[in-house]
Amino acid sequence: MSRLLLNCDIGESFGAWTMGLDAEVMPFIDCANIACGFHAGDPGIMRKTVALALQHGVQIGAHPAYQDLAGFGRRSMAYAPEEIQDLLHYQIGALDGICRAQGGRVSYVKPHGAMYNDMMAKPAQLRAVIQAVAAYDASLPLMLMATRDNRAAQALGDEYGVTLWFEAFADRAYDNAGHLVSRQLPGAVHHDAQVILQQALTIARGETLVASDGSPLLLQADTLCVHGDNASSVAAVQRIRQALTPP
């Protein structure tokens, strides 16, 4: 079984509004994708989330997004490549500053929501994201979606000297290209804890999943995205952690 890093989108509260069970899920993950203020989070939330990650020895990742607080960063927006790079540098730099003030640092980047989906669908946008990471700090890995064929993305990462961490999802259905089935379609999100655990184990063992059209799908992943937005999802993360931890 491969050693999959468990990552979780976290620090997505804002002001007096609380989202997620950050303190409950943090002990079970390896990587915390911390919102940088454009889709969620604010300076105080970022500071508290960084402190929580450092307390538990969890790697801190910048989780930048389109400037879309009202839409939670899930709406696709038109940006030129230079603007994409500006968005990334602004947000990575903000979180990195908060990390450094507490004796830590940002150690990878994972774009959020529509930015993440757009870079997987548009090679020019993926290039802009990789260029932005390389210009900020080429030693920072970029987290992106594992698909049926990772070769084109890997070639772009190699071109700019950026390490890529390919990510899979335990609680989402996949189409035959290895892309996530749209949330607007039935069956796109798995809710049964046993199904989620089984999918996590299947990916970790390097075995094939069943795509939405019934075809076999093999995903080569370095990290598994989990969620901690309710008590049942935290329990699922705990079960995945236990199952993936060698005795």
Side-chain angles (χ1 to χ4, degrees), residues 189-212:
V189 181
H190 303 318
H191 298 287
D192 185 284
Q194 188 58 39
V195 171
I196 294 170
L197 177 61
Q198 187 56 52
Q199 182 154 310
L201 291 174
T202 298
I203 294 167
R205 291 170 180 152
E207 299 171 351
T208 55
L209 301 173
V210 178
S212 57

Side-chain angles (χ1 to χ4, degrees), residues 126-184:
L126 179 57
R127 180 180 291 274
V129 170
I130 292 175
Q131 283 180 309
V133 174
Y136 185 87
D137 182 347
S139 72
L140 297 180
L142 172 67
M143 197 178 290
L144 73 170
M145 191 186 302
T147 64
R148 184 179 290 277
D149 187 350
N150 298 331
R151 287 176 295 179
Q154 186 62 64
L156 273 177
D158 292 344
E159 182 179 341
Y160 292 96
V162 172
T163 298
L164 302 182
W165 286 352
F166 289 101
E167 174 185 42
F169 294 78
D171 63 349
R172 295 294 302 275
Y174 284 88
D175 65 19
N176 62 7
H179 296 141
L180 299 179
V181 172
S182 170
R183 288 177 179 269
Q184 298 180 12

Side-chain angles (χ1 to χ4, degrees), residues 79-109:
Y79 287 99
E82 294 82 3
E83 293 174 313
I84 292 291
Q85 294 179 42
D86 292 341
L87 292 177
L88 285 162
H89 291 161
Y90 188 97
Q91 293 174 82
I92 297 169
L95 183 63
D96 202 25
I98 289 173
C99 287
R100 289 174 184 273
Q102 298 188 54
R105 62 157 299 173
V106 165
S107 58
Y108 67 94
V109 177

Side-chain angles (χ1 to χ4, degrees), residues 49-61:
T49 311
V50 164
L52 187 63
L54 292 174
Q55 175 187 339
H56 289 279
V58 173
Q59 292 191 67
I60 294 168

